[in-house]
Structure formats: C-alpha cells, structure tokens
Amino acid sequence: YPTQHKFRQASRYSFPSKSRLYLAAGLPILSFCETDSSPHLFYAEHYRTYYHNIRENADIALFLRTAMSVSPDAMAERRQVADGLIREYFSDRAELLPFHAMLKSVCHD
C-alpha cells in the first residue's frame, strides 16, 4: 500500500479491492500501510483479531499464531466475522443503495 508522502491522499481515501477479496475469503490480513489509511482504520476497528499492520508497534507473534491456525473451528470463526463485515459494509445493499439514493436526491432537485 502506498506509504510515500506523494501518495498520502490515495493512502487515506482509497480502499484496495484485493483486501476485500482477502476478507471475503476469511483470510488473515497482514498489512504494511499508514496507520491513518482507510484499510488500516477499517480493519483495526472491525477485524483486529485477524489483522496486523507491520507499521504498528504491536507484537506480531499473536497475529501469526492466530493466522497459522487452520483448524476447522478457527477457520469457521474467521469466516463468520468476515461474512458479517462483507454483508454490513461491502455488499450491494451496503454500497450501492446509499449511492443510488444520493443520485436520486441530486437528480430530483
């Protein structure tokens, strides 16, 4: 993810589509991004157990132990959390309906 100063706005306001795919697959996410970037803020708040940003000073050992767990229970738990986030924040309903409502309000004014 861009960390150079010249990409500051992109880092802060864009959200990489590949991270959504990782989330949809219920995968752990290891990141190297600014701590004020949109993906970091989202995953730190909503997917913390399964997310780690190398740029934080947090101990990576717990994340790695969690990420390496491929037991059916661990994978099901991660997948359940990820599915809930996808439905709430990245589904058609979550993303397109508010956008369509905004377009309708603009077009009718």
Side-chain angles (χ1 to χ4, degrees), residues 13-74:
Y13 298 116
S14 67
F15 200 95
S17 58
K18 66 182 173 186
S19 75
R20 292 178 190 195
L21 295 174
Y22 301 157
L23 180 64
L27 296 174
I29 298 173
L30 180 62
S31 177
F32 183 85
C33 61
E34 295 292 344
T35 57
D36 67 346
S37 68
S38 60
H40 173 77
L41 295 173
F42 179 82
Y43 290 121
E45 180 178 347
H46 300 290
Y47 203 59
R48 177 47 88 180
T49 304
Y50 315 108
Y51 168 80
H52 184 82
N53 184 349
I54 294 171
R55 298 197 75 169
E56 291 181 295
N57 291 327
D59 182 11
I60 195 171
L62 176 61
F63 170 78
L64 292 176
R65 281 193 301 276
T66 302
M68 290 187 310
S69 178
V70 292
S71 73
D73 288 343

Side-chain angles (χ1 to χ4, degrees), residues 72-86:
D73 288 343
M75 292 175 68
E77 180 183 318
R78 199 167 52 227
R79 184 63 192 213
Q80 182 178 4
V81 171
D83 286 349
L85 291 173
I86 291 291

